[in-house]
Amino acid sequence: MGMPDETARQEEYRKYICGQIELLNSAKEQDWRGAVDSLVLSLHESVPLLIESVTQGKVNTDRVSSLANFLSAHGANAEAESLFRSLVSSQPGNPAYLNDLAVVLLRIGDRDRVKEAIDLLNRAVDIDFERSGPKATELPAFKNREIAISFFRVSDKAAMEKEKLPGGTLNTLETEILGKYDRLALAETALKLSEPALKYATLLLLGVFTPLDLVLGPLSGLIGLKISGQPYTLVYSLSVVLVLAVVHYLATRSRNRANFVIDTRLPHYKALANSKLRTTG
């Protein structure tokens, strides 16, 4: 008896959600805003049904957009993303939906979504220029694109790989973060070279390797030692170890300082940029 009762309750609740979705089509603001409040309280059940209604063209998509923007503004970006993707799929030429999906992706903030957001905003800006001419520069998509490009610049892989995007100007905070990425890249390179070199040189100093082993090893190309057939002195070996140890220490210190600045500045930068994003609803 328990299973049929549970199934009946689920079906009844589904009908209730569908009724709330139908109210989104109401001409009365009080009705559709009340429906939004109800749907927000049951996202797990309402989002799939909302997407289904959008796909079938049975719901006012602008009201769904308002709901999705509300969700994103309150941190429910995964649900907002799903809703906006369904809206963009149903109306790929709607610049408002393209813009608002891009805003959600920027709020999520991972590098792939930021790149996708730029593509969406480029499409939205093109459509805005076709429809509004020069006034497109005053619309949300145009302004959000500048923020998206800036987001992409300060994403770690983009900075380290020196990926470039046209447009946009650097502000002071962004310049500082990118400068630290440059220092971080240099430090990582120094560490990558100095760590194995220091290891080989130390082992040689301790007598684990012979001079010929060192010549054949990776250290020879790095420090240019040419000692085949020559006596290998303790002083020379110790000097090599000390120099490499200093290089390793300075590189580690530089890396740690760069990471500290990035870790402390980047969240502030992204929060500041997020506060400037503009939706259409």
Side-chain angles (χ1 to χ4, degrees):
M1 293 293 292
M3 196 62 137
D5 288 345
E6 180 63 25
T7 301
R9 279 197 294 270
Q10 290 178 354
E11 182 60 27
E12 190 67 25
Y13 192 59
R14 186 180 187 280
K15 290 180 180 179
Y16 168 76
I17 296 297
C18 289
Q20 296 302 304
I21 292 175
E22 289 179 9
L23 284 176
L24 292 178
N25 297 321
S26 174
K28 296 180 179 180
E29 183 174 353
Q30 183 178 357
D31 289 344
W32 71 262
R33 288 198 179 277
V36 167
D37 293 340
S38 298
L39 294 170
V40 166
L41 296 175
S42 53
L43 291 180
H44 182 72
E45 295 81 8
S46 63
V47 169
L49 293 174
L50 280 165
I51 292 173
E52 182 180 325
S53 296
V54 169
T55 302
Q56 296 174 354
K58 295 181 177 179
V59 66
N60 185 313
T61 53
D62 287 340
R63 308 278 169 77
V64 176
S65 175
S66 295
L67 170 59
N69 277 322
F70 176 85
L71 294 176
S72 179
H74 289 80
N77 287 308
E79 293 81 2
E81 179 184 357
S82 297
L83 290 174
F84 271 123
R85 287 195 184 280
S86 69
L87 292 171
V88 169
S89 294
S90 68
Q91 298 184 37
N94 189 319
Y97 298 161
L98 292 169
N99 174 82
D100 292 353
L101 173 57
V103 168
V104 173
L105 298 180
L106 291 172
R107 285 172 175 163
I108 295 173
D110 67 72
R111 181 170 170 267
D112 289 338
R113 282 184 170 87
V114 172
K115 290 186 73 173
E116 183 182 358
I118 294 172
D119 292 337
L120 292 168
L121 291 168
N122 283 333
R123 288 165 55 189
V125 168
D126 288 343
I127 295 170
D128 284 340
F129 269 106
E130 289 177 5
R131 297 179 180 179
S132 306
K135 291 184 178 180
T137 58
E138 302 172 7
L139 297 176
F142 186 86
K143 298 181 182 298
N144 288 338
R145 184 171 63 175
E146 291 293 304
I147 298 173
I149 291 172
S150 184
F151 259 57
F152 185 79
R153 282 200 190 101
V154 299
S155 64
D156 54 347
K157 289 185 179 179
M160 298 295 280
E161 295 170 5
K162 303 299 181 187
E163 295 193 50
K164 301 293 185 180
L165 284 176
T169 56
L170 296 177
N171 59 42
T172 303
L173 188 55
E174 186 180 352
T175 301
E176 180 184 11
I177 293 171
L178 290 178
K180 295 304 177 185
Y181 275 126
D182 289 337
R183 178 172 293 184
L184 181 60
L186 181 62
E188 293 287 1
T189 300
L191 286 172
K192 188 180 295 184
L193 293 173
S194 66
E195 284 178 353
L198 180 59
K199 174 185 175 183
Y200 276 100
T202 302
L203 290 173
L204 180 61
L205 177 63
L206 297 174
V208 177
F209 290 146
T210 66
L212 183 59
D213 294 323
L214 184 61
V215 173
L216 298 177
L219 181 60
S220 60
L222 175 64
I223 62 177
L225 292 179
K226 297 180 179 178
I227 59 177
S228 180
Q230 300 178 12
Y232 192 76
T233 68
L234 178 63
V235 173
Y236 188 68
S237 177
L238 182 59
S239 299
V240 171
V241 171
L242 288 175
V243 169
L244 290 173
V246 169
V247 170
H248 187 271
Y249 167 76
L250 293 176
T252 302
R253 185 181 180 189
S254 179
R255 179 189 63 184
N256 292 342
R257 285 187 173 183
N259 276 325
F260 175 77
V261 172
I262 291 168
D263 290 343
T264 54
R265 298 286 196 277
L266 195 55
H268 173 66
Y269 170 79
K270 289 190 173 183
L272 182 64
N274 266 320
S275 69
K276 297 179 180 179
L277 293 172
R278 294 171 56 192
T279 61
T280 57

